[in-house]
Amino acid sequence: MAHDASTHHDDHDHKPHGFVNRWLYATNHKDIGTMYLVFSLVMFFLGGLMAMVIRGELMFPGLQLIEPEFFNQMTTMHALVMIFGAVMPAFVGLANWMIPMMVGAPDMALPRMNNWSFWIMPFAFTTLLLPLALKVFFDIGGGGPAGGWTLYPPLSLQGGDSVAFTIFAVHMMGISSIMGAINIIATILNMRAPGMDLLKMPVFVWSWLITAFLLIAVMPVLAGAVTMLLTDKFFGTTFFSATGGGDPVMFQHIFWFFGHPEVYIMILPAFGIVSEIIPTFSRKPLFGYKAMVYAIASIAFLSFIVWAHHMFTVGMPLGGELFFMYATMLIAVPTGIKVFNWVFTMWKGSMTFETPMLFALAFVILFSIGGFSGLMLAIVPADFQYHDTYFVVAHFHYVLVTGAIFSVMAAVYYWLPKWTGRMYNERLGKIHFWASAISVNVLFFPQHFLGLAGMPRRIPDYNVAFADWNLVSSLGGFAFGLTQLLFAYIVWDCSRNKSLAKATDQVWEGAHGLEWTLSSPPPYHSFTTPPVITDSMLAHGNVAH
Amino acid sequence: MITTDRSELDHRRAAAKLTAWILAGVVFGIYGLFWMSGVLGS
Ligand code: HEM
Ligand SMILES: [Cu+2]
């Protein structure tokens, strides 16, 4: 674009004409953010459909609907689709939309690489889903991967050709994530408007900066691990096979060196989101801004030295078990700091409870439940009981569904009026919140009981002793799944329905930060000239002194 | 503090590119390291 042309009419839209130009060749951070978010929603429903199949099968003891082999494909694909297709792209979408507007940059640092990061994803997921789709729709081949999302050999290598598809797809997702992370770091470090010092940035931006470093550190590790799986299966190496001098447990070490930071990749941006929303609806500055930033950084650091808490039962030296137990428990300290700071932010604030705030509050409470069950799992002798039971399933669904996904929903309700220029239907939003909050607990809380009673995870059938709570859990699951259709409707309604109330620029009475100084919806190209930043425009006031 | 001069923005873009290349180097380094760990470890 010619330089002088854009300075003449900054506030006019220069949207590219035509579908292909606008979306396929997209370089605009808002368009790419939208595509990520839509992609994520589609994957959320696809993964959700698989969850419905799983809960349908588990509703009653005995085999009901599907073959055990297909059940294993469902659990494996559900996890891969939700983790890599729903949660991660949702956060990347939010990063694309919000980070440039929050730091006063005109766009992401590398807009064309940004295009590539996104467009790899549909291809990666086509590859991942192809074996399953061929089996389901045309009865071709053996179906999708069935060895669990953790891909442990030798089991994962006993699958058919789907192994190669899965590994190739994981590589593509990894490349996409790495390019996304590089873009985010470069944007935050180099593209901030003058005056937006690091310690004046919104906590959401901080959380993404740290998350992006985690991604850069561990996605290549995952890539290395799955490349070794590939050569073990197809090229005769024995990295993970004892017959050739390799070691299957080594895979677990490498996988979890990726895997544990990965779970924090899915929660740190959530911390950032909640740290933006709670001050707004408490009408008070965030309590302990710097402590929040340092806590995120400490959690990120600790996430590299706890990985073997996923492997307590494989047989490690006692010193190793103790080290990983105590290191894991240490994470409770910075996590506790964050929870207390959110509570102190609300203390004596003039709070209101619009839908984003409701989801953020539910996050604080329900994520903490997941944190507590995590602490229980961190206790080595206790984990010998809990490992591979439904207790673990309950734990990670509290941190991932009522944690990560609730935060995404909070973020969507919070920023949707900014994106579309219209207020969503608040009454429907509240219904969506309460129906979700109740059904999600009916769905996952009984899984604690099932796990403690000894029900193993990843099985299609179970002892009749587990029947009652499985029925309750399944009913909760169907209710939660159904409720999310309402979410899709609300979002669609807000972006299409012209009769909805127009949003103001600030949208929320207590909102602060650069993004709220732009119009709603913001111009297609925002901050093409850097804004002059005053303390009153900062998300959390001037915290630097 | 305000600048309507776009060369300042171009400066920042150039710096961002350098950051990106350095990070890409780190990525390949880590990938190689873990491959190596597999070779040495087995
Ligand atoms: C608050 C601190 C946390 C602690 C102390 C903790 C601890 C643990 C432990 C010890 C396990 C292994 C249990 C077993 O397999 O026997 C585990 C599993 C898991 N955790 Fe956490 N966790 C915490 C937070 C989180 C967060 C924030 C997430 C994600 C957002 C998460 C996601 C998971 C997942 C996905 C698994 C299961 C992995 C699998 O085997 O498939 N955890 N956690
Ligand atoms: Cu972990």
Side-chain angles (χ1 to χ4, degrees), chain B residues 5-41:
Chain B
D5 174 13
R6 298 184 65 94
S7 72
E8 190 271 347
L9 200 59
D10 291 340
H11 251 90
R12 285 193 270 149
R13 286 224 170 85
K17 263 192 194 129
L18 181 64
T19 307
W21 278 115
I22 293 170
L23 292 172
V26 172
V27 166
F28 283 108
I30 296 174
Y31 180 71
L33 204 74
F34 270 82
W35 250 104
M36 205 55 113
S37 82
V39 174
L40 298 179

Side-chain angles (χ1 to χ4, degrees), chain A residues 256 259-260 263-264 306-307 309-310:
Chain A
W256 288 114
H260 188 83
V263 305
Y264 278 94
V306 299
W307 77 87
H309 65 212
H310 295 273

Side-chain angles (χ1 to χ4, degrees), chain A residues 265-299:
Chain A
I265 286 164
M266 294 189 286
I267 207 65
L268 296 185
F271 290 168
I273 290 165
V274 171
S275 303
E276 301 305 323
I277 292 177
I278 289 183
T280 293
F281 295 96
S282 307
R283 292 163 182 76
K284 272 180 63 195
L286 183 68
F287 186 92
Y289 171 93
K290 278 190 187 169
M292 288 305 229
V293 172
Y294 293 137
I296 297 178
S298 327
I299 293 172

Side-chain angles (χ1 to χ4, degrees), chain A residues 3 6 106 109-110 178 182 185-186 190-194 216-217 220-221 223-224 227-228 239 245 257 528 530 532, chain B residues 1-4 6 8-10 12-13 15-17 19-20 23-24 26-27 30-31 34-35 37-39 41-42:
Chain A
H3 280 190
S6 58
L110 304 139
I178 287 168
I182 289 177
I185 294 175
N190 300 112
M191 299 300 286
R192 298 190 317 279
I216 287 198
V221 177
T227 312
M228 286 183 252
F239 288 115
F257 186 83
T528 42
V532 185
Chain B
M1 223 196 275
I2 188 168
T3 159
T4 43
R6 298 184 65 94
E8 190 271 347
L9 200 59
D10 291 340
R12 285 193 270 149
R13 286 224 170 85
K17 263 192 194 129
T19 307
L23 292 172
V26 172
V27 166
I30 296 174
Y31 180 71
F34 270 82
W35 250 104
S37 82
V39 174
S42 62

